[in-house]
Amino acid sequence: MIKLDDIDIMVLEEFIIYLNLTSYKFSKITGVPNATSWRVFNRLAELGLIRKNDKGFAITPRGVVITYLHTNKENIKKSCLSLLKKFWNYNGNEEDLKSFLEDICKVLKSLKLSPFTICFNQPVTVATMLYNRIESLREESKRVIADIFLNFFPSVDLSNGCKAIISYDNEGKPYALVARCRKEGVKLNYYCPEISKYLGKMNNELLQKLH
């Protein structure tokens, strides 16, 4: 099992602050010997938590999540949430994202999985994992899933101004996998009457083109 020691966590915390670092700069900031810093940097890079770039190394979205889960510093946790919003192109608030990460931890613990088994670089992968356990999630986490799905999957604009990702159930009935509804707010697995109207209109337009 992969475990991080105190120096690993210290390095990640500094990356949250500086975003880009060299082992030399980290050594100067912290007093950790450069040889040790270089060894730790390369180990974290192998784990996909940081990556090499033209400025030395940069933290990855995976690294941000792992830092959030391991740090005890509230200011670092807050910075992690802010960074993750940018990395994931997430439009919601940080408190919802905090709940989302906490629910990820609960799900992983229930499955007896380490956070290191998850990539975290692609938010849709994480959102899909949680979506399959939607009944156990908080409303805040559901809003994050909805936002991620709407950013990733094709959606349609309904006549009432709502946005939805349309799917079909086992009986062939259309429903919104995710909907951002003006009246109901964010909904998952939502049977909205506007969807049938939308599909009926699209079918009529298609038939007219065929004739």
Side-chain angles (χ1 to χ4, degrees):
M1 180 182 291
I2 299 170
K3 291 185 178 181
L4 300 181
D5 60 26
D6 290 343
I7 295 181
D8 294 331
I9 296 170
M10 184 196 304
V11 169
L12 291 172
E13 289 172 345
E14 292 299 320
F15 268 104
I16 295 298
I17 296 170
Y18 292 98
L19 301 184
N20 294 280
L21 277 174
T22 62
S23 60
Y24 177 78
K25 182 176 180 179
F26 174 79
S27 179
K28 288 295 183 183
I29 293 170
T30 63
V32 175
N34 189 40
T36 302
S37 302
W38 179 249
R39 175 181 57 78
V40 174
F41 273 44
N42 278 281
R43 177 172 181 265
L44 296 179
E46 289 175 0
L47 293 174
L49 306 183
I50 61 176
R51 60 178 177 80
K52 289 184 178 180
N53 65 8
D54 57 356
K55 296 180 181 179
F57 290 83
I59 196 159
T60 64
R62 172 177 163 89
V64 174
V65 174
I66 295 298
T67 304
Y68 180 89
L69 298 180
H70 283 78
T71 186
N72 293 319
K73 299 176 181 177
E74 287 303 317
N75 64 315
I76 297 296
K77 283 183 177 289
K78 184 172 178 58
S79 295
C80 285
L81 294 174
S82 179
L83 268 178
L84 206 55
K85 281 191 66 173
K86 296 176 182 177
F87 277 134
W88 282 0
N89 192 29
Y90 170 63
N91 300 314
N93 65 62
E94 292 179 7
E95 283 302 310
D96 284 359
L97 195 55
K98 178 181 178 181
S99 296
F100 181 75
L101 293 178
E102 290 172 355
D103 277 344
I104 288 172
C105 286
K106 290 179 182 177
V107 169
L108 291 176
K109 285 181 180 178
S110 70
L111 297 173
K112 297 181 179 179
L113 292 175
S114 164
F116 288 97
T117 62
I118 309 299
C119 175
F120 293 117
N121 288 332
Q122 296 297 331
V124 69
T125 304
V126 187
T128 301
M129 180 186 73
L130 289 192
Y131 177 82
N132 292 328
R133 294 160 181 80
I134 202 72
E135 296 81 8
S136 64
L137 302 181
R138 287 171 283 186
E139 289 302 314
E140 295 89 341
S141 294
K142 293 177 183 179
R143 288 197 290 266
V144 176
I145 291 172
D147 188 88
I148 290 172
F149 278 6
L150 286 168
N151 280 338
F152 186 83
F153 295 111
S155 61
V156 299
D157 294 316
L158 303 178
S159 59
N160 61 352
C162 300
K163 185 181 289 289
I165 299 171
I166 298 176
S167 187
Y168 293 86
D169 64 18
N170 293 333
E171 297 179 358
K173 295 179 181 179
Y175 71 100
L177 184 73
V178 174
R180 184 177 287 128
C181 179
R182 286 186 174 182
K183 292 182 179 180
E184 302 288 338
V186 171
K187 305 288 285 185
L188 298 174
N189 300 333
Y190 182 47
Y191 286 85
C192 175
E194 293 297 325
I195 292 177
S196 295
K197 293 179 184 178
Y198 171 85
L199 293 174
K201 180 182 177 182
M202 295 297 292
N203 287 336
N204 288 335
E205 290 178 357
L206 179 60
L207 288 173
Q208 289 176 5
K209 289 180 180 179
L210 292 175
H211 291 296

